[in-house]
């Protein structure tokens, strides 16, 4: 059995990651919206027990998982550890004595409880002592309703309020002013202001190296020459090559030795980490994580599809797909600054070509737009490989985020 899964990050006021909402559907044929909430939750619990661990999808952060009344009655939340789970009660569940009894029992057992897409009703006040988080849809809630909810919650300061569908910096700032504690949406992956950020020579050199290592005709001499131009890059390469991550019998002392010892795959990994870390130094960590996950996800799709001799070009496409957010300007200007192949630029600027199809599949997967993702996956004959590629990308990114600390 195969699974489609995606995760959406939830951040605090300082844009620090506090957890992920897991968005899950069954694989190839049984995709949203042809599956109800009960089955979706059931499949997710099944998957966590027999196919993957929740921690693999959340990197140890709490998982926000939707539960219907039926799955709550069946006690599904207790199949997962309380410290790994936020029990998210779907908006379709009506408040009543039966639900209140379940909520009380879960709370007594140490579970954290959230109300999803909250619709304000006086009856919910009976639940407030046992609720930890209330999620509010920013697209459907008007100012009057928001103020009413916030005023009512002042008597229950333990409840955190979470703004959903935060799609822009303006919405984020508005929610922040209203006093929201947590935020969910794509605001962190959009340009935050119109300004031009010049790339220093080291970052231009890194982009050039990424391009050179993604081409079919890779030459060691040219790569060594680019490294030689930048003392800082050379130092970091030698530091990486001599790190504890690799077992070396002798110390590596030259750029050429480092390049030969590492090999092209490790060099690509090193460069992607360094480039992403440098250009996104002032950005939320989750944006870096998303960028690396995209890159690896695209690379894995290209590998399984088998149409590219060198899948590094797919990796680089994913890596560059969020550069507009990282550099705070539109993609057209970003592409003018970076030495990238026309194939990558065509995918990113014109949404054309096979690389663009991979990228769109990845984007739809991130958004849990299963129908659109499934159409592309079927066209590319990748249905069975998409969830595999995604899980591999998550695992790889988790490892890289740990390594990134050593490169700073």
């Amino acid at each position: 059995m195969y699974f489609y899964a995606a995760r959406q990050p939830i951040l605090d006021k300082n844009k620090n990651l506090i957890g992920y909402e897991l968005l899950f559907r069954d694989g190839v044929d049984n995709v949203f919206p042809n599956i109800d909430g009960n089955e979706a939750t059931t499949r997710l619990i099944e998957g966590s027990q027999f196919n993957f661990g929740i921690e693999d999808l959340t990197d140890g952060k709490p998982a926000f998982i939707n539960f219907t009344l039926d799955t709550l009655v069946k006690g599904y939340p207790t199949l997962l550890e309380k410290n790994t789970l936020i029990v998210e009660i779907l908006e379709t569940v009506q408040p009543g004595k039966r639900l209140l009894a379940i909520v009380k029992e879960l709370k007594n057992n140490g579970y954290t409880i959230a109300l999803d897409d909250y619709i304000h009703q006086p009856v919910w006040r009976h639940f407030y002592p046992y609720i930890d988080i209330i999620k509010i849809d920013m697209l459907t809630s008007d100012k009057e309703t928001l103020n009413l909810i916030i005023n009512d919650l002042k008597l229950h300061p333990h409840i955190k309020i979470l703004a959903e569908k935060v799609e822009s910096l303006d919405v984020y700032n508005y929610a922040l002013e209203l006093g929201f504690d947590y935020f969910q949406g794509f605001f962190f992956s959009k340009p935050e202001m119109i300004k031009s950020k010049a790339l220093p020579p080291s970052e231009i050199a890194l982009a050039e190296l990424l391009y050179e290592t993604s081409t079919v005709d890779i030459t060691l001499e040219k790569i060594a020459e680019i490294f030689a131009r930048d003392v800082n890059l050379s130092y970091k390469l030698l530091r990486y090559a001599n790190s504890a991550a690799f077992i070396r019998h002798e110390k590596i002392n030259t750029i050429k030795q480092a390049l030969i010892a590492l090999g092209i795959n490790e060099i690509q990994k090193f460069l992607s980490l360094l480039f992403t870390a440098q250009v996104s130094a002032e950005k939320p960590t989750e944006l870096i994580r998303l960028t690396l996950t995209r890159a690896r996800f695209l690379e894995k799709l290209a590998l399984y599809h088998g149409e590219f001799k060198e899948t590094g070009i797919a990796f680089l496409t994913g890596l560059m797909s969020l550069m507009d957010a990282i550099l705070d300007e539109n993609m057209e200007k970003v592409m003018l600054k970076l030495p990238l192949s026309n194939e990558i630029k065509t995918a990113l600027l014109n949404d054309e070509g096979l690389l663009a199809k991979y990228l769109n599949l990845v984007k739809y997967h991130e958004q849990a737009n299963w129908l659109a993702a499934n159409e592309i996956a079927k066209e590319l004959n990748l249905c069975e490989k998409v969830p595999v590629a995604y899980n591999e990308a998550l695992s790889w990114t988790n490892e890289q985020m740990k390594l990134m600390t050593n490169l700073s």
Side-chain angles (χ1 to χ4, degrees):
M1 179 178 290
Y2 298 94
F3 295 91
Y4 274 103
R7 64 185 190 183
Q8 288 185 354
I10 295 172
L11 313 179
D12 65 14
K13 293 178 181 179
N14 298 316
K15 299 184 183 178
N16 295 316
L17 179 70
I18 65 148
Y20 291 99
E21 178 167 6
L22 297 189
L23 303 163
F24 185 88
R25 295 295 181 269
D26 196 4
V28 180
D29 298 314
N30 197 16
V31 295
F32 182 84
N34 298 318
I35 181 172
D36 64 22
N38 287 328
E39 188 172 354
T41 302
T42 302
R43 294 290 187 181
L44 179 53
I45 301 300
E46 277 182 1
S48 70
Q49 296 295 313
F50 304 114
N51 293 275
F52 57 85
I54 289 293
E55 63 278 1
D56 293 333
L57 290 176
T58 65
D59 193 26
K61 295 292 184 180
F64 286 67
I65 297 178
N66 293 329
F67 288 89
T68 61
L69 180 59
D70 187 53
T71 53
L72 288 169
V73 169
K74 290 178 179 177
Y76 282 6
T78 59
L79 294 174
L80 299 173
E81 294 291 333
K82 59 189 177 184
N83 60 335
T84 67
L85 174 67
I86 308 294
V87 178
E88 197 168 308
I89 301 173
L90 278 171
E91 69 276 9
T92 54
V93 180
Q94 294 300 312
K97 291 182 179 179
R98 191 180 192 188
L99 179 63
L100 183 58
I102 293 170
V103 167
K104 284 182 178 179
E105 184 177 358
L106 286 171
K107 188 66 178 176
N108 288 336
N109 288 329
Y111 284 87
T112 302
I113 302 167
L115 298 179
D116 187 33
D117 285 339
Y118 179 72
I119 298 173
H120 198 44
Q121 301 177 56
V123 68
W124 282 118
R125 291 173 183 147
H126 298 291
F127 290 76
Y128 285 171
Y130 316 103
I131 300 299
D132 300 283
I133 300 169
I134 288 180
K135 301 179 71 174
I136 300 173
D137 189 329
M138 297 301 290
L139 295 182
T140 60
S141 303
D142 57 35
K143 187 174 183 179
E144 183 179 350
T145 301
L146 290 172
N147 285 328
L148 179 62
I149 295 171
I150 290 167
N151 284 331
D152 272 11
L153 291 177
K154 285 180 179 177
L155 296 174
H156 304 274
H158 70 281
I159 297 179
K160 304 294 185 182
I161 46 176
L162 189 158
E164 292 187 284
K165 308 289 177 59
V166 180
E167 305 297 324
S168 69
L169 183 65
D170 288 341
V171 176
Y172 167 69
N173 284 333
Y174 176 55
L176 201 58
E177 289 173 9
L178 288 173
F180 279 78
D181 302 287
Y182 303 141
F183 309 86
Q184 181 177 357
F186 294 102
F187 74 94
F188 62 88
S189 62
K190 301 290 183 184
E192 295 191 354
M193 60 189 72
I194 303 299
K195 65 179 181 181
S196 179
K197 180 179 179 181
L199 290 174
S202 62
E203 288 168 14
I204 292 292
L206 274 170
E208 189 177 352
L209 282 165
L210 280 167
Y211 170 64
E212 290 295 336
T213 55
S214 70
T215 60
V216 176
D217 302 316
I218 302 170
T219 62
L220 189 65
E221 290 75 16
K222 189 162 187 179
I223 294 173
E225 180 186 333
I226 298 170
F227 267 107
R229 293 185 213 151
D230 194 299
V231 175
N232 189 40
L233 279 182
S234 298
Y235 166 74
K236 289 189 174 182
L237 175 66
L238 291 172
R239 184 175 167 190
Y240 182 73
N242 285 296
S243 70
F246 309 102
I247 299 174
R248 307 286 184 210
H249 297 296
E250 296 181 4
K251 188 174 181 180
I252 293 172
N253 297 303
T254 69
I255 296 299
K256 190 171 182 179
Q257 282 179 340
L259 295 176
I260 293 172
L262 287 171
I264 189 60
N265 289 332
E266 284 297 333
I267 293 169
Q268 284 179 328
K269 182 169 69 177
F270 163 75
L271 293 172
S272 63
L273 284 173
L274 205 54
F275 182 78
T276 306
Q278 286 192 194
V279 299
S280 58
E282 298 177 358
K283 291 292 181 176
T285 303
E286 192 55 30
L287 180 54
I288 302 174
R289 189 185 297 274
L290 178 60
T291 302
L292 293 175
T293 303
R294 267 197 191 184
R296 187 65 164 178
F297 197 176
L298 256 77
E299 182 184 35
K300 284 294 181 179
L301 291 176
L303 179 66
Y304 290 133
H305 195 218
E307 294 297 316
F308 285 99
K309 183 178 179 182
E310 176 50 63
T311 58
I313 192 171
F315 182 94
L316 193 50
T317 302
L319 194 71
M320 295 298 156
S321 66
L322 285 168
M323 281 300 127
D324 55 344
I326 290 173
L327 297 177
D328 292 323
E329 57 188 12
N330 63 51
M331 190 62 80
E332 287 79 6
K333 289 184 178 179
V334 173
M335 290 298 102
L336 289 173
K337 294 179 179 181
L338 298 173
L340 301 172
S341 69
N342 288 331
E343 200 167 4
I344 294 176
K345 290 185 178 181
T346 298
L348 296 177
L349 295 178
N350 304 328
D351 193 26
E352 295 175 357
L354 187 54
L355 290 172
K357 286 187 179 180
Y358 295 153
L359 181 57
N360 285 328
L361 174 53
V362 168
K363 287 180 178 178
Y364 289 138
H365 197 285
E366 290 170 357
Q367 298 162 11
N369 186 342
W370 308 118
L371 288 178
N374 199 52
E375 284 182 14
I376 300 176
K378 281 184 175 180
E379 180 187 346
L380 300 175
N381 196 28
L382 285 172
C383 290
E384 295 181 353
K385 291 299 185 182
V386 170
V388 177
Y390 182 62
N391 286 334
E392 288 176 342
L394 289 181
S395 297
W396 180 85
T397 300
N398 290 340
E399 293 175 6
Q400 307 322 302
M401 293 299 290
K402 294 171 185 175
L403 280 174
M404 190 175 288
T405 305
N406 297 325
L407 294 178
S408 59

